[in-house]
């Protein structure tokens, strides 16, 4: 059976600024989507990570379906009006600028979609990130799909030995979608050269070179498409198929223990380590740190198993304790150096105004004769 997986991540408002959506808001969105499982959808699942709600839908309507778009927009609108009634902060944050045109792709909400020819024991993961950009997936996904130090399946499984194809997008290219396909293992240096720059390049999809099947779909999209700002589309979602010709669940999630510094912390202008957290975790310290949750699912004829909460395991408590120290450590240096993002990626007018005002007060001193 061919099943479409549509995962969307949307910020419709939160309590405490950008900390967490309220229970009533999540329930309103869930009720709206669940209502459609009798008609347009086969199954669905709704939860939150930080201040963003993740909606996963299974259906048979294919990619970019207008029917599914309507289902989701209905849920977004109901959620936004619930957020407004409750007095939440940033009501309809991700749909406000998008207007009610019904478009999803390329606007505020983050969308990852793939059509799956269901294997007899289909298995996949949903990753949701808050307070970071799509490029935050670059390092863990590269390590899971291209590095045998992290993914032993690349040398143990004959099919995985043929490697994976990564489609990487130049998210700052304004006019069109600009992408490059690179093959692991022969292109791994080229991959590293691009993926090191999380603000400009982000993995959009990954395919198995042995079966041609798609392994990863991420909500990576052009920045300029969204709100006319350099940092427009944050807080991504990704679908990752696992097992058989793909890395195992453990091989995909293990690289997340690194907790690399990513951009998007506090006002989208700071760097913080990406901390793996259980499902339905809020942010707190300095509106962060950046967090990632992971839900594992089985799938049969479009029906989802209840999810397994991957980062809820006790080992991740140890990782979190280390990453909490890493978070506090970089915060000690406040605005200085690498704690804050480079000027080019900061979209707050305040800093730009300060620099413009000060520019007039600079004086050119002539060197002594
Ligand atoms: P399968 O061979 O069943 O996919 O399992 C491999 C695995 O997950 C080892 O960690
Ligand atoms: P979100 O992008 O998660 O809404 O966070 C906004 C912010 O700047 C928090 O500091
Ligand atoms: Mg928000
Ligand atoms: Mg968010």
């Amino acid at each position: 059976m061919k099943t479409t997986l549509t995962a969307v991540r949307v910020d419709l408002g939160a309590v405490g600024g950008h900390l967490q959506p309220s229970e009533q808001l999540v329930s309103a969105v869930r009720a709206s989507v669940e209502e459609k499982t009798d008609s347009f959808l086969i199954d669905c699942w709704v939860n939150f990570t930080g201040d963003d709600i993740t909606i996963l839908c299974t259906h048979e309507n294919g990619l970019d379906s207008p029917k599914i778009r309507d289902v989701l927009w209905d849920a977004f609108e109901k959620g936004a009006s619930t957020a407004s009634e409750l007095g939440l902060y940033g009501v309809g944050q991700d749909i406000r600028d998008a207007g009610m045109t019904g478009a999803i792709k390329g606007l505020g909400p983050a969308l990852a979609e793939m059509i799956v020819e269901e294997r007899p024991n289909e298995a996949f993961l949903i990753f949701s990130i808050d307070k970071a950009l799509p490029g935050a997936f670059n390092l863990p996904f590269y390590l899971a799909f291209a590095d045998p130090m992290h993914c032993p399946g690349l040398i143990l499984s004959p099919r995985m030995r043929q490697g994976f194809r990564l489609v990487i997008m130049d998210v700052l290219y304004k006019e069109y979608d600009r992408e490059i396909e690179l093959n692991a293992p022969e292109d791994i240096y080229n991959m590293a050269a691009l993926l090191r720059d999380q603000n400009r390049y982000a993995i959009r999809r990954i395919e198995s070179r042995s079966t041609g099947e798609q392994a990863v779909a991420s909500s990576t999209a052009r920045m300029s498409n969204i709100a006319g700002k350099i940092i427009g589309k944050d807080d991504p979602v990704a679908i990752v198929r696992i097992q058989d010709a793909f890395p195992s669940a453990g091989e995909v999630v293990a690289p997340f223990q690194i907790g690399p510094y990513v951009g998007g912390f506090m006002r989208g202008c700071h760097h913080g380590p990406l901390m793996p957290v259980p499902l339905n975790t809020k942010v707190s310290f300095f509106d962060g740190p950046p967090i990632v949750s992971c839900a594992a699912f089985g799938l049969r004829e479009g029906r989802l198993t209840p999810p397994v909460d991957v980062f809820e395991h006790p080992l991740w408590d140890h990782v979190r304790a280390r990453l909490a120290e890493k978070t506090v450590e970089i915060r000690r240096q406040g605005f200085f150096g690498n704690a804050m993002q480079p000027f080019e990626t900061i979209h707050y007018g305040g800093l730009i105004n300060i620099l413009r005002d000060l520019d007039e007060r600079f004086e050119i001193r002539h060197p002594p004769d």
Side-chain angles (χ1 to χ4, degrees), residues 47-50 128 275-282 291-295 309-313 316-317 320:
N47 88 326
F48 72 86
T49 300
S128 304
M275 179 184 278
V277 294
L279 300 170
N280 299 319
T281 296
K282 60 177 138 322
I291 54 174
V292 55
S293 70
C294 178
D309 186 346
V310 178
F311 292 137
E312 189 261 346
H313 185 277
W316 295 97
D317 292 338
R320 280 188 278 276

Side-chain angles (χ1 to χ4, degrees), residues 111-113 134 137 141 203-205 216-220 236-239:
L111 178 80
E113 268 193 321
F137 284 125
F141 286 174
I203 295 170
R204 197 179 205 190
R205 60 187 268 147
V216 173
S218 159
S219 62
T220 300
V237 61
I239 306 168

Side-chain angles (χ1 to χ4, degrees), residues 109 134 154 209 252 280 307:
L154 294 169
R209 292 173 75 190
V252 176
N280 299 319

Side-chain angles (χ1 to χ4, degrees), residues 40-197:
F40 302 115
L41 306 178
I42 304 173
D43 210 345
C44 68
W45 171 77
V46 177
N47 88 326
F48 72 86
T49 300
D51 67 352
D52 302 299
I53 297 176
T54 301
I55 306 170
L56 170 65
C57 303
T58 64
H59 56 92
E60 292 182 281
N61 298 288
L63 308 180
D64 295 327
S65 157
K67 282 186 200 160
I68 302 306
R69 179 193 66 194
D70 291 347
V71 166
L72 293 172
W73 273 96
D74 194 32
F76 298 163
E77 287 180 42
K78 285 188 177 133
S81 56
T82 303
S84 171
E85 281 161 26
L86 296 169
L88 267 50
Y89 186 80
V91 170
Q93 179 177 298
D94 280 345
I95 63 169
R96 215 174 27 210
D97 291 340
M100 291 302 154
T101 58
I104 293 174
K105 199 175 174 183
L107 292 169
L111 178 80
E113 268 193 321
M114 84 163 86
I115 298 175
V116 167
E117 180 67 65
E118 277 188 26
R119 298 169 289 173
N121 43 18
E122 187 56 55
F124 67 94
L125 309 172
I126 297 290
F127 288 96
S128 304
I129 286 183
D130 188 33
K131 309 297 184 257
L133 298 168
F137 284 125
N138 286 0
L139 183 62
F141 286 174
Y142 165 80
L143 295 174
F145 285 87
D147 183 350
M149 284 289 284
H150 290 81
C151 180
L154 294 169
I155 53 174
L156 296 174
S157 152
R159 284 198 293 180
M160 285 174 63
R161 187 183 168 199
Q162 293 181 45
F164 291 89
R165 177 171 302 114
L166 272 64
V167 179
I168 298 169
M169 186 173 196
D170 175 355
V171 295
L172 295 187
Y173 191 80
K174 291 195 174 43
E175 281 83 37
Y176 307 102
D177 286 1
R178 184 168 183 260
E179 297 177 346
I180 187 169
E181 292 188 5
L182 294 176
N183 291 323
E186 59 268 38
D187 276 327
I188 58 167
Y189 294 172
N190 296 331
M191 287 177 187
L194 298 181
L195 297 177
R196 56 168 285 283
D197 185 349

Side-chain angles (χ1 to χ4, degrees), residues 263-271 339-342 345-348:
F265 195 5
M266 181 51 85
R267 298 179 183 273
C269 296
H270 294 79
H271 290 126
M340 219 176 193
Q341 291 191 199
T345 57
I346 288 183
H347 59 276
Y348 270 83

